Amino acid sequence: MAILNLCLCSKFSTNPNPKTISFNNSASPSKPIISSLSLSSPRAPQGPQIQNHLSSLCESISKASVLVVLSASIVFASNPALAFKGGGPYGAEVTRGQDLTGKDFSGKALIKQDFKTSILRQANFKGAKLLGASFFDADLTGADLSDADLRGADFSLANVTKANLSNANLEGALATGNTSFKGAIITGADFTDVPLRDDQREYLCKFANGMNPVTGNETRETLLCN
């Protein structure tokens, strides 16, 4: 900031004329002690010289800034998903608030990954490790989550319509709010300790079947179906 402030200064005030102070001995005019005394200010760099140095410095800074901006633009243009990275342990290629329609995440380790508000229509998460991942308010319409480890994942307000949850392990996952499982395939899915609303549970129990191959729990039992 100090350099930028200097760059904004266009003029510097200098005083090339030295100050002259005269002393007069009025009591003894015939014996002058000091007739005149010239006091010059310490010599400082001239205004034009300072301005030239600052101009060169500012020009270098401006060129460097332009290069940084252009480099960032090229990177984000080639891969828009890098524009808004998740934080903490999140992978560099996966981000929140992005349109990741149809993207392939199958078999990947995406523990605690942040997919909040992302568009994940028809995305492939088959067999992915998604422990503690957040799908808060995400659109998972038609996504493939079969065989995925979704323990502790957050599906609050998510749209899981027509998603494939076959053999997925959702133990301890969150589904608070208006999470929609309409048309989802849940054969062999484990919903142990998932806090569902009564209407959600009743809807899922209508077509719940199968047994989870990892936990050995039957889907209907994990949903507490009658």
Side-chain angles (χ1 to χ4, degrees):
M1 290 300 296
I3 295 176
L4 292 177
N5 288 335
L6 287 175
C7 293
L8 295 175
C9 297
S10 58
K11 294 183 179 180
F12 293 85
S13 144
T14 58
N15 186 6
N17 298 321
K19 294 181 180 180
T20 301
I21 303 176
S22 297
F23 297 89
N24 224 352
N25 187 358
S26 56
S28 304
S30 60
K31 297 179 181 180
I33 298 175
I34 301 176
S35 59
S36 65
L37 178 63
S38 296
L39 299 176
S40 300
S41 300
R43 186 174 183 80
Q46 297 300 310
Q49 185 179 6
I50 296 175
Q51 288 182 347
N52 288 338
H53 286 305
L54 286 176
S55 296
S56 299
L57 179 59
C58 292
E59 184 177 355
S60 299
I61 293 174
S62 299
K63 289 180 179 179
S65 300
V66 170
L67 288 175
V68 170
V69 173
L70 288 176
S71 299
S73 299
I74 292 173
V75 172
F76 293 155
S78 61
N79 190 351
L82 289 175
F84 299 94
K85 289 184 180 181
Y90 307 144
E93 67 178 302
V94 187
T95 60
R96 64 182 290 181
Q98 296 294 297
D99 186 350
L100 301 171
T101 300
K103 191 169 178 61
D104 185 8
F105 300 106
S106 59
K108 292 189 177 182
L110 301 168
I111 299 172
K112 294 184 179 179
Q113 185 61 46
D114 190 358
F115 290 100
K116 290 186 185 76
T117 69
S118 291
I119 300 174
L120 297 159
R121 291 171 174 262
Q122 288 82 47
N124 185 4
F125 290 98
K126 182 178 179 62
K129 297 184 183 302
L130 293 156
L131 287 80
S134 178
F135 293 99
F136 180 87
D137 200 23
D139 186 356
L140 289 155
T141 302
D144 186 355
L145 292 158
S146 60
D147 301 304
D149 189 345
L150 294 161
R151 288 175 293 169
D154 186 1
F155 287 95
S156 301
L157 301 178
N159 184 3
V160 199
T161 300
K162 296 181 180 180
N164 185 359
L165 291 166
S166 298
N167 299 325
N169 186 359
L170 293 94
E171 183 178 356
L174 295 176
T176 58
N178 194 29
T179 303
S180 174
F181 291 98
K182 186 176 181 179
I185 302 171
I186 62 170
T187 301
D190 190 334
F191 286 88
T192 299
D193 296 329
V194 177
L196 296 166
R197 297 195 315 267
D198 289 341
D199 59 316
Q200 291 174 319
R201 192 182 310 279
E202 183 179 352
Y203 172 77
L204 292 173
C205 283
K206 290 180 180 179
F207 49 89
N209 62 86
M211 177 185 293
N212 188 274
V214 176
T215 65
N217 296 326
E218 293 186 3
T219 300
R220 291 187 61 82
E221 289 183 359
T222 62
L223 284 168
L224 304 178
C225 300
N226 297 326

